Amino acid sequence: MELEVKELVKHYGKKQALKGINASLTEGVYGFLGPNGAGKSTFMNILTGNLKATSGQILYDGEDIRKLGREFRGLLGYMPQQQALYPNFTAEGFLAYMAALRDMKRSEASKRIPQVLAKVGLSEVAGDKIKSFSGGMKQRLLIAQAVIADPRVLVLDEPTAGLDPKQRIAIRNLISEIAAGKIVIIATHVVTDVESAANRILLIREGELVADASREEMVTTLSGRVFELKIPQSELKSLETNPAYLMGNISRERETLFVRVICDGKPEGYEATPVRPGLEDVYLSYFRE
Ligand code: ADP
Ligand code: MG
């Protein structure tokens, strides 16, 4: 099982949303990480057949997915970024409807629906109307419809959008649980969404892949370059304007600030403690604006 993305380009009029994406994906979890407007949803929409590329192609086991058509869509599960749910459907009814759209046999659907509802923790509200659901419940129902046909390729666009930290963790764990044996692609601008679950991170910036590696490989590139500086409040301005330092999180203890920075070599003239680099730091180093 392999997805191969070749020189994928998408223009919306003059806007170049994708500028030649190349990647090869096999079984595993992939974090498609980048800020808003980077081109993530555009890529997802092309992969799922909702949008036509300007040029380039995506191959599934060597065959163009556009040629495979229905056959490829049958292998695909998709959770769109926009919550497209019907408020007056029940959870069960919505899944039955989605199963019917996929031409799933009724007998199979009635077997699968309780299984996926249990998997996403919605069994107890199976007969309740969607309009009574919280944001987190709606996200879980959207994941349920994406996995109803046990897809080989699972595409999740901003799966934790609008959720509180606890719900984010629940969704992340759920994704890890259902990922086995599939190609799972998670598009997000939230580093923690993919930090632990993804085997590989693809950083996308303004329509280009700027990095494609495991979390460990990415983090290693910043070894010895991330520090926590202890400074008085009064020094913050001069640190901010110093181009040698890229600033991350700041925490405060009374008049003292602890500032996470990325820099080359040990900071001179500061009380500095080396810290372990994380994916947040990598993200910051690519998207410093
Ligand atoms: P992301 O999902 O990473 O936030 P998108 O793929 O939605 O990014 O958008 C990538 C770029 O393409 C953005 O600059 C966006 O404004 C632009 N864009 C997206 N959809 C359209 C469209 N239908 N028409 C014109 N521009 C679009
Ligand atoms: Mg998007």
Side-chain angles (χ1 to χ4, degrees), residues 11-13 15-18 34-45 51 81 157-158 187 189 204 207:
H11 298 170
Y12 296 108
K15 170 85 204 174
Q16 298 193 328
L18 297 178
N36 286 326
K40 304 180 297 294
S41 293
T42 299
F43 174 76
M44 302 290 214
N45 279 315
L51 200 62
Q81 181 169 6
D157 199 353
E158 306 275 0
H189 62 280
I204 181 167

Side-chain angles (χ1 to χ4, degrees), residues 78-80 94-95 98 102 141-149:
Y78 176 43
M79 175 186 185
F94 174 67
L95 292 180
M98 294 309 281
R102 303 192 65 119
L141 183 58
L142 279 174
I143 293 179
Q145 63 77 31
V147 297
I148 187 96

Side-chain angles (χ1 to χ4, degrees), residues 4 40 71 79 99 112 150 162 169 178 181 183-184 196 205 211 223 242 247 250 257 263:
E4 225 179 318
K40 304 180 297 294
E71 199 184 323
M79 175 186 185
R112 276 296 285 173
D150 196 19
I169 293 170
I178 56 186
I183 295 175
V184 180
S196 56
R205 181 175 68 197
S223 285
N242 189 336
M247 283 177 43
I250 303 176
L257 301 182
C263 59

Side-chain angles (χ1 to χ4, degrees), residues 45-116:
N45 279 315
I46 294 170
L47 177 60
T48 54
N50 295 308
L51 200 62
K52 220 177 138 205
T54 303
S55 62
Q57 53 178 184
I58 302 178
L59 308 176
Y60 181 78
D61 286 343
E63 294 260 16
D64 193 316
I65 60 168
R66 293 187 64 79
K67 275 214 198 92
L68 290 171
R70 282 183 79 85
E71 199 184 323
F72 179 68
R73 286 197 296 278
L75 302 170
L76 199 68
Y78 176 43
M79 175 186 185
Q81 181 169 6
Q82 253 61 31
Q83 283 201 356
L85 288 164
Y86 304 89
N88 284 312
F89 275 56
T90 63
E92 247 166 7
F94 174 67
L95 292 180
Y97 175 66
M98 294 309 281
L101 288 183
R102 303 192 65 119
D103 292 329
M104 195 183 273
K105 283 205 198 89
R106 239 188 234 220
S107 57
E108 202 197 330
S110 51
K111 211 172 73 201
R112 276 296 285 173
I113 290 169
Q115 286 172 357
V116 293

